[in-house]
Amino acid sequence: MPLKPFYNEMYEPDGSVRPQYAGFAQWLRDTPPERIAQERHAADLLFHRVGITFAVYGETSGTERLIPFDIVPHVLPGDQWDRLAAGLRQRVTALNRFLHDVYHDQEILAAGVVPREQVEGNSQFRPEMVGVKVPGGVYAHIAGVDLVRDADGEHYVLEDNLRTPSGVSYMLENRKMMMRLFPELFARQTIRPVDHYPDLLLETLREVNPRDVADPVIVLLTPGHFNSAYFEHAFLAQQMGIELVEGQDLFVQDETVFMRTTQGPRRVDVIYRRIDDDFLDPLAFRPDSMLGVPGLLSAYKAGRVALANAIGTGVADDKSLYPYVPEIIRFYLGEEPILRNVPTYLLRKPDDLAYVLANLEELVVKEAQGSGGYGMLVGPRSTREEREKFRQRIVDAPERFIAQPTLSLSVVPTFAGDSLGDRHVDLRPYVLSGRETRFVPGGLTRVAMRAGSLVVNSSQGGGVKDTWVVN
Amino acid sequence: MLSRVASSLYWMSRYIERMENTARVLDVTWRMSLLVKEPRLQDQEWFAPLNITGTLFPFSGRHTTVCAKEVLHFLALDPDNPSSILSCARQARENARAIRGSITSEMWEVVNATWLELQRIDETAMNSGGISAFFDHVKERSHLFRGVTFGTLRRDEAYHFTRLGTHIERADSTARILDVKYHVLLPSVRDVGGAVDYYQWSAVLRSVSAFEAYRQVYRDAITPLRIAELLVLREDVPRSLHFCMRQVNETLEVVRNDRSGETLRQAGQLLAQLRYGRISDIFATGLHEYLTDYLDAMQALSGEIQRSFFSPTLPD
């Protein structure tokens, strides 16, 4: 029951094919359906064999599952992408400036642009980081910014993921799979490459090396093989040629981080960590954490090791800070934001709360600090009973929630069985910040595999597609 | 290489080897038990596998009698016994899973499938094709693991630590198997050199796949002295102590670091004893006493390996 018509990425409203899809549409017409069916089957087998799976929390049996992969790409024209890229660069640059500011001079709080309690009262604000000089002044080295396209054809930022955004391995594997199954598609048009992402990431990590050495030791810190994103951790470490370490592999002595190797302790300069702040250092944060490294914070504060991302970035990607991002961009850069924000209601504000409670069936309500699509209410798709249940949760703790109008996410044709149906997608480009900003064109396209569903998270049964930027 | 990864590789192959050797010990015991004997000695040989694997104490905590059925279940399929074949397969698999990125996919598939298969086997299935068929199957999985490792793994540190685990475990296990005769009593003193004695010694030989080697080397009757010489001192028998210690020494030379001096010294000393030892001297001390000393030295070496490669710390 759509409220508004959707933007179809492949077709114009009159049914003709959009120019960026011309090459693919032609190929689709020319290729026998049997071959497509056969290659789709091959893709499933290959993904299984390579072991590209992810663990699902809360499922007891078969905790490793394959993410569904769809062969119809999400195609963006080059000029649209270039504009998005400029907007991403602007937005992430401003957020990095913001993070540096809130942990140092707090000019933006003094100017009253962002309420002080919004920052300092946030559980993601880390007082330990106040005054700490981080290498290069960069906080969010890797950002995954979720974009959606509304019915008006414009892209909106849904959220900024500045902590440990995941999914980039799927972006790389999806492209590899498409090139392997349908090489002819890449011969007939110029699709901008993405496979140099690990090189860009490694360059970014090298740039924030705090020690003046030509060949810094860089490691990827994973919570271990029970983590849902372990495949990605192993994959990225292998692609970059760096060690994949667990907390137990590292130790801190004299404010210096070492890893235990068969040739003795080896000093570590840069840690690409895929562990949340809370678990990084049991001496500084959660004392029950078995995943972290005791003393890591002290080494970090002493400037003897770089962490990517920095500790305390969560204060800038919190859903309750999100509404302030356009102002943050204006404040630090003196520029108008290129990317649009979705209008957002903060339920801790009485006016917003009243409006949201009166219009629950039209809004999406989320926990300000939730992630993974758990615990959200999609108003237009909810039952009266679900709304009443959620209403009670909101009234109990309004400050924990935000609300936004229901966006009508754009659709891309997607195989369901042997026929194509329209499915909603979003797009997560990855923005790398070192001494300069880098990205590969496109990003990870996530698709809701169920007809009508707006939830694209892999933990909720979402699938993935290759993303093309064509000239 | 990360110490944790090296340690997992080492233990993965140790557990595979231990799984195989437990099957070998059970197989030789089974063969010995088939001999007709006096009622008072019924089942007495089933103490041997418990002694060899060092599990008599936990076994007797849960069982009242030592008999074929109970011991076989305990050492083959009991998930609560950490030394059982099933538990070894599980621990090998857990180590492999933690370091999947450092082994080849073929190695992972062998270790994973071995564990999955063993999980599905119950006592009925174990006995259905003859118990020896079960042991043969376990041995084949271990052979397959070594073959796949040899055929697919790059010759880097990963390979060396995998091999180290295999040979340390085997060097330990052959000594224990050889000692089995000490734990298995002959019906009476006058049976020494008799048919039962002969049968028991040849079972020991077969259990370490050295029966043919014995025939080729000695072309003569089976005697305890020669068997011990073959399995302790021969340098060219792949399960002999000498052979295993030579492999251990070669591997340690490759992976040595600035903390492994003592490890190499201990390993070198063990090798020298095997290289220059005389079987007559060993029998003068007593084979059992010799093997006991040797197993203590292996235990110490194992601890040194742990210290110098798997748990490095900065010098104070």
Side-chain angles (χ1 to χ4, degrees):
Chain A
M1 43 168 207
L3 298 171
K4 303 180 258 183
F6 308 121
Y7 183 91
N8 192 309
E9 299 280 349
M10 184 159 167
Y11 296 105
E12 305 275 5
D14 66 5
S16 58
V17 174
R18 294 187 191 274
Q20 67 266 30
Y21 268 97
F24 183 79
Q26 182 64 39
W27 174 87
L28 199 57
R29 275 193 296 275
D30 295 347
T31 309
E34 308 81 66
R35 167 149 184 251
I36 293 179
Q38 190 188 328
E39 301 292 358
R40 285 177 56 216
H41 182 62
D44 277 354
L45 289 180
L46 281 168
F47 274 128
H48 247 302
R49 209 169 68 197
V50 185
I52 305 180
T53 56
F54 72 104
V56 184
Y57 298 119
E59 273 190 21
T60 47
S61 68
T63 49
E64 278 173 47
R65 201 165 70 189
L66 212 58
I67 295 191
F69 168 72
D70 185 70
I71 64 159
V72 183
H74 177 197
V75 187
L76 293 162
D79 55 339
Q80 270 183 29
W81 166 256
D82 292 339
R83 193 171 156 275
L84 288 178
L88 291 165
R89 179 190 303 273
Q90 178 195 53
R91 190 170 174 105
V92 173
T93 303
L95 286 169
N96 267 312
R97 294 272 296 272
F98 171 75
L99 281 162
H100 186 269
D101 189 25
V102 298
Y103 288 118
H104 290 86
D105 302 332
Q106 302 197 331
E107 287 172 11
I108 199 163
L109 307 187
V113 176
V114 177
R116 182 171 290 275
E117 97 276 357
Q118 176 66 45
V119 171
E120 292 183 342
N122 190 307
S123 65
Q124 293 296 317
F125 180 76
R126 301 289 175 185
E128 299 87 349
M129 288 298 292
V130 171
V132 173
K133 194 168 172 299
V134 305
V138 181
Y139 285 77
H141 308 80
I142 301 106
V145 180
D146 290 343
L147 301 172
V148 296
R149 200 202 289 260
D150 195 21
D152 58 11
E154 284 294 329
H155 282 98
Y156 289 80
V157 174
L158 206 56
E159 54 186 62
D160 305 286
N161 295 289
L162 306 178
R163 297 174 221 188
T164 54
S166 63
V168 78
S169 57
Y170 299 109
M171 172 188 86
L172 295 167
E173 286 293 333
N174 293 345
R175 174 61 57 85
K176 211 157 76 188
M177 188 62 74
M178 285 298 277
M179 294 186 79
R180 179 169 179 165
L181 299 179
F182 309 113
E184 68 273 19
L185 275 170
F186 293 83
R188 61 169 74 194
Q189 59 202 316
T190 308
I191 298 163
R192 297 193 196 169
V194 298
D195 41 1
H196 55 301
Y197 177 85
D199 302 335
L200 298 184
L201 176 56
L202 188 59
E203 238 174 290
T204 303
L205 295 170
R206 275 179 197 282
E207 281 180 0
V208 297
N209 162 36
R211 195 155 60 117
D212 188 22
V213 286
D215 197 17
V217 176
I218 302 171
V219 299
L220 192 157
L221 176 60
T222 173
H225 59 272
F226 296 107
N227 184 268
S228 62
Y230 181 72
F231 160 74
E232 174 158 306
H233 305 161
F235 175 87
L236 286 175
Q238 190 229 345
Q239 293 288 309
M240 290 190 281
I242 65 177
E243 289 287 358
L244 176 67
V245 304
E246 297 178 13
Q248 52 171 312
D249 297 325
L250 303 180
F251 68 94
V252 176
Q253 193 164 317
D254 302 330
E255 295 182 331
T256 308
V257 182
F258 295 90
M259 67 175 160
R260 303 175 209 273
T261 82
T262 53
Q263 293 299 308
R266 189 153 177 231
R267 179 164 173 184
V268 172
D269 301 299
V270 182
I271 302 176
Y272 174 26
R273 50 95 170 207
R274 297 290 297 257
I275 294 182
D276 292 342
D277 286 357
D278 277 341
F279 297 94
L280 266 184
D281 180 353
L283 299 184
F285 305 113
R286 280 179 62 152
D288 60 337
S289 170
M290 303 294 284
L291 305 173
V293 186
L296 183 56
L297 183 69
S298 70
Y300 185 51
K301 287 171 82 163
R304 294 176 64 78
V305 69
L307 290 177
N309 289 353
I311 293 172
T313 54
V315 72
D317 75 357
D318 189 85
K319 290 191 184 72
S320 61
L321 184 94
Y322 167 89
Y324 298 99
V325 176
E327 283 306 318
I328 288 173
I329 293 171
R330 291 186 190 102
F331 183 82
Y332 293 109
L333 306 179
E335 298 169 4
E336 272 307 298
I338 300 170
L339 295 175
R340 299 185 186 195
N341 244 29
V342 184
T344 303
Y345 305 98
L346 296 175
L347 274 55
R348 60 180 175 76
K349 296 183 178 172
D351 289 355
D352 284 10
L353 177 63
Y355 175 81
V356 168
L357 289 178
N359 294 281
L360 266 186
E361 66 281 6
E362 285 169 19
L363 299 167
V364 177
V365 189
K366 305 175 190 175
E367 286 191 46
Q369 291 177 17
S371 70
Y374 296 101
M376 64 187 253
L377 176 79
V378 181
R381 293 177 201 285
S382 61
T383 63
R384 172 177 295 272
E385 196 187 340
E386 284 167 346
R387 283 197 296 276
E388 288 318 306
K389 242 182 173 169
F390 218 89
R391 178 188 304 276
Q392 194 50 53
R393 289 182 58 197
I394 296 172
V395 172
D396 288 347
E399 70 286 353
R400 287 179 52 202
F401 295 92
I402 61 152
Q404 294 169 334
T406 317
L407 290 180
S408 58
L409 272 58
S410 63
V411 294
V412 176
T414 300
F415 275 98
D418 281 331
S419 58
L420 288 167
D422 290 339
R423 295 290 184 274
H424 294 288
V425 297
D426 78 352
L427 173 65
R428 174 179 287 185
Y430 297 88
V431 184
L432 300 172
S433 307
R435 256 181 256 127
E436 53 184 281
T437 307
R438 302 179 170 89
F439 24 57
V440 296
L444 176 67
T445 293
R446 300 186 295 178
V447 53
M449 298 303 280
R450 269 187 303 123
S453 168
L454 293 171
V455 184
V456 295
N457 306 77
S458 54
S459 54
Q460 310 279 302
V464 291
K465 286 171 174 289
D466 194 11
T467 311
W468 294 359
V469 175
V470 296
N471 290 337
Chain B
M1 161 171 281
L2 284 175
S3 297
R4 172 178 53 84
V5 174
S7 168
S8 282
L9 288 161
Y10 171 84
W11 283 105
M12 168 185 69
S13 55
R14 274 198 81 158
Y15 279 119
I16 291 285
E17 187 69 22
R18 190 173 295 178
M19 171 187 87
E20 174 184 344
N21 288 320
T22 303
R24 287 177 179 278
V25 170
L26 289 175
D27 200 19
V28 66
T29 312
W30 174 254
R31 285 163 195 265
M32 289 185 188
S33 75
L34 295 178
L35 294 178
V36 182
K37 53 185 127 8
E38 303 168 40
R40 77 177 165 88
L41 294 171
Q42 191 66 38
D43 287 336
Q44 57 90 15
E45 61 274 315
W46 289 100
F47 279 98
L50 297 170
N51 280 322
I52 291 170
T53 56
T55 51
L56 181 59
F57 185 69
F59 179 86
S60 53
R62 305 219 307 269
H63 301 260
T64 47
T65 53
V66 175
C67 65
K69 187 175 151 49
E70 303 275 300
V71 174
L72 277 173
H73 178 263
F74 180 74
L75 285 177
L77 300 177
D78 191 343
D80 298 324
N81 171 15
S83 314
S84 71
I85 289 174
L86 177 68
S87 295
C88 287
R90 180 176 52 76
Q91 290 167 96
R93 193 250 186 193
E94 275 173 16
N95 277 290
R97 185 170 138 82
I99 48 157
R100 265 182 79 170
S102 305
I103 57 177
T104 61
S105 49
E106 287 94 336
M107 287 170 73
W108 161 249
E109 279 164 26
V110 170
V111 177
N112 192 36
T114 301
W115 180 71
L116 292 173
E117 281 169 22
L118 283 171
Q119 254 193 324
R120 281 197 295 268
I121 290 180
D122 59 9
E123 253 168 294
T124 325
M126 181 169 79
N127 291 308
S128 64
I131 188 87
S132 285
F134 171 77
F135 297 136
D136 284 345
H137 176 72
V138 173
K139 280 189 270 181
E140 273 165 23
R141 295 307 299 184
S142 177
H143 291 322
L144 187 58
F145 168 79
R146 278 193 305 278
V148 159
T149 303
F150 184 80
T152 62
L153 192 60
R154 202 158 65 83
R155 296 313 195 251
D156 59 3
E157 273 191 290
Y159 181 79
H160 299 308
F161 280 105
T162 307
R163 300 282 289 165
L164 185 62
T166 299
H167 289 113
I168 286 280
E169 184 67 28
R170 190 184 292 170
D172 186 89
S173 164
T174 297
R176 290 172 187 271
I177 290 177
L178 193 52
D179 209 22
V180 72
K181 272 289 284 164
Y182 173 82
H183 297 283
V184 179
L185 301 174
L186 283 168
S188 67
V189 180
R190 67 190 142 77
D191 287 326
V192 172
V196 174
D197 198 25
Y198 170 85
Y199 191 83
Q200 287 182 347
W201 278 112
S202 65
V204 167
L205 268 184
R206 285 183 203 281
S207 79
V208 292
S209 306
F211 193 81
E212 291 88 351
Y214 186 95
R215 288 295 189 213
Q216 285 162 2
V217 171
Y218 299 107
R219 302 182 185 284
D220 204 349
I222 288 175
T223 69
L225 193 92
R226 288 187 186 133
I227 287 177
E229 186 178 60
L230 190 78
L231 297 184
V232 176
L233 299 179
R234 280 297 291 205
E235 150 173 50
D236 56 358
V237 174
R239 308 193 79 85
S240 79
L241 308 191
H242 187 175
F243 180 92
C244 292
M245 279 317 297
R246 192 154 51 84
Q247 297 291 321
V248 166
N249 272 272
E250 281 173 13
T251 307
L252 287 175
E253 281 294 338
V254 181
V255 299
R256 65 188 303 163
N257 61 27
D258 55 13
R259 306 161 39 83
S260 61
E262 176 59 15
T263 312
L264 267 75
R265 191 195 66 76
Q266 289 189 14
Q269 192 170 32
L270 271 165
L271 178 61
Q273 282 166 10
L274 292 162
R275 191 164 169 194
Y276 300 112
R278 278 192 306 221
I279 197 66
S280 52
D281 294 342
I282 292 173
F283 268 67
T285 324
L287 181 60
H288 173 67
E289 287 69 22
Y290 176 84
L291 292 173
T292 304
D293 287 349
Y294 168 85
L295 285 171
D296 287 346
M298 281 304 296
Q299 178 96 32
L301 176 61
S302 189
E304 279 303 320
I305 288 173
Q306 179 72 33
R307 193 189 58 79
S308 49
F309 297 105
F310 304 150
S311 46
T313 48
L314 284 181
D316 293 325

